[in-house]
Amino acid sequence: VNQILLLLLVLTVCAILYNKVHQAPAALKNEAVDLESPEEMEEEIPVVICAAAGRMGAAVAAISSIYSNTEANVLFYIVGMKTTIPHIRKWIENSKLKEIKFKLVEFNPMVLRGKIRQDASRPELLQPLNFVRFYLPLLIPKHEKVIYLDDDVIVQGDIQELYDTRLAPGHAAAFSDDCDLPSTHEMVRSVGMQNTYMGFLDYRKQAVRDLGISPSSCSFNPGVIVANLTEWKHQRITKQLEKWMQRNVEENLYSSTLGGGVATPPMLIVFYEKHSTINPMWHIRHLGWSPDTRYSEHFLQEAKLLHWNGRYKPWDYPSVHTDLWENWFIPDPSGKFKLTRPES
């Protein structure tokens, strides 16, 4: 009996010693995981940008500017058509952008069937990717908050600051109001741009007048959006936008001959007095409206985001302030996309 008890005592002591020896590596391993977890749990900032055929260099420059000016954990959602996705993938993977976190998303233009009224005056405004912003929750389903950017922008500030834009309760999106920045008013007047609803909707139509929106109400620009997708889905924003697209097909309530083409008016209607505002320095626009009108260099250096909305794009000629855009452009490794410059 004594021998059995002694054997049990020896086995107990050995088990205790074994556990003590093997607990140290386990504790160290757990500590290592804990040290890494803050980085792993760092909030992702989803940024949606379209890569359209013929202007993929724009998306590349926008992505390059964002990535170079932030330490935030940015996840790029690059939306394209089936035929363009292989090109943008090779461009990213064979350039200095290969370090970015990105997902390629294919946009199916069939969702637009019967919802776009054909207009020959500015056919580029009818391209399917112009309507990606209408379908954000369907394309980017796992995030609550996202940033959408037009491809003809560059970002000079930290994208984290834009992402931190506060949205009021019940608001599904934040935009920049077109009357918000006195520095742009002179340019708006000088080139005849519209910054009210009169410039986007046809007030001769009864359906437009029935909205009860004054034609002198300030419009907003949906080229930069901070969106709350939970609220977007709750309010069925996509369905509301589609309703106005279909009504325009039937009644011609707006057209691309007016201020912002056919993608802006549905958003102006649906989000009227139901959106939050973005810091105006995070959306300095109209750089592509005229090849002859320029902002001051000091003003542009202070800007957080520059937008070449309009016909005159910085990868084409003529255009203005192209040096600021070219700072972030990365040449196409395949050589398919080329800048248009006077010397070329």
Side-chain angles (χ1 to χ4, degrees), residues 3 12 27 35 39 68 105 108 148 157 170 266 275 278 289 304 322 342:
Q3 288 179 339
T12 301
L35 288 172
E39 182 178 349
S68 301
V105 180
N108 185 352
Y148 167 87
H275 67 276
I278 292 171
W289 203 267
K304 302 297 183 72
T322 54

Side-chain angles (χ1 to χ4, degrees), residues 176-245:
S176 290
D177 287 325
D178 285 330
C179 306
D180 60 6
L181 198 61
S183 302
T184 67
H185 292 175
E186 183 177 346
M187 176 176 281
V188 168
R189 288 193 298 269
S190 67
V191 297
M193 284 180 288
Q194 296 288 339
N195 60 1
T196 66
Y197 273 65
M198 175 66 83
F200 296 88
L201 303 179
D202 187 349
Y203 276 82
R204 296 171 300 178
K205 301 296 174 67
Q206 187 62 44
V208 171
R209 295 197 298 273
D210 288 345
L211 289 169
I213 301 173
S214 169
S216 62
S217 295
C218 185
S219 54
F220 58 81
N221 187 299
V224 176
I225 306 172
V226 181
N228 179 331
L229 297 190
T230 301
E231 195 66 43
W232 190 296
K233 288 181 283 190
H234 175 69
Q235 296 183 30
R236 297 170 62 86
I237 296 294
T238 297
K239 289 294 183 185
Q240 292 187 56
L241 293 167
E242 288 184 325
K243 181 191 79 170
W244 284 104
M245 292 170 73

Side-chain angles (χ1 to χ4, degrees), residues 62-86:
I63 293 168
S64 172
S65 68
I66 295 166
Y67 181 65
S68 301
N69 287 305
T70 188
E71 296 294 326
N73 181 23
V74 180
L75 173 58
F76 293 97
Y77 284 89
I78 305 170
V79 185
M81 308 295 280
K82 185 176 183 178
T83 55
T84 61
I85 283 179

